[in-house]
Amino acid sequence: MSNLAKRSVLLSGHATSVALEPEFWAVLDGIGEELKLTRAELLIRIDEWRGRRPLASACRVLALQWAAGDRSFADARDD
């Protein structure tokens, strides 16, 4: 059985939810703290950054990249 934790957020005016393992949420929460973003703000930025990748997959990829020391997401800004 899966041990996923679901979080809800409003993206582009639409309510959506993301289900991830608690370990991924812990990394994402750390990213948010470092970037001074709420969880909702971080998910909005991930949504803008993800391209065609599903949101949950983008969250996992970001968490893995961040854990590996890749901080390019912090520099990626949509103007």
Side-chain angles (χ1 to χ4, degrees):
M1 283 208 145
S2 180
N3 184 26
L4 299 177
K6 190 178 282 192
R7 305 288 185 261
S8 298
V9 67
L10 194 64
L11 299 176
S12 301
H14 301 283
T16 191
S17 61
V18 181
L20 299 172
E21 295 76 8
E23 296 84 358
F24 284 107
W25 284 121
V27 174
L28 292 173
D29 287 342
I31 295 169
E33 286 178 22
E34 191 167 328
L35 299 179
K36 296 179 176 38
L37 299 171
T38 66
R39 183 180 284 157
E41 291 168 337
L42 179 63
L43 288 173
I44 290 167
R45 278 203 43 200
I46 294 169
D47 183 50
E48 294 167 349
W49 168 80
R50 70 186 172 112
R52 296 179 56 87
R53 180 177 284 150
L55 183 57
S57 296
C59 289
R60 288 184 180 97
V61 167
L62 174 60
L64 291 171
Q65 288 175 341
W66 199 269
D70 179 352
R71 299 296 191 264
S72 59
F73 176 80
D75 299 325
R77 303 271 184 206
D78 288 334
D79 295 324

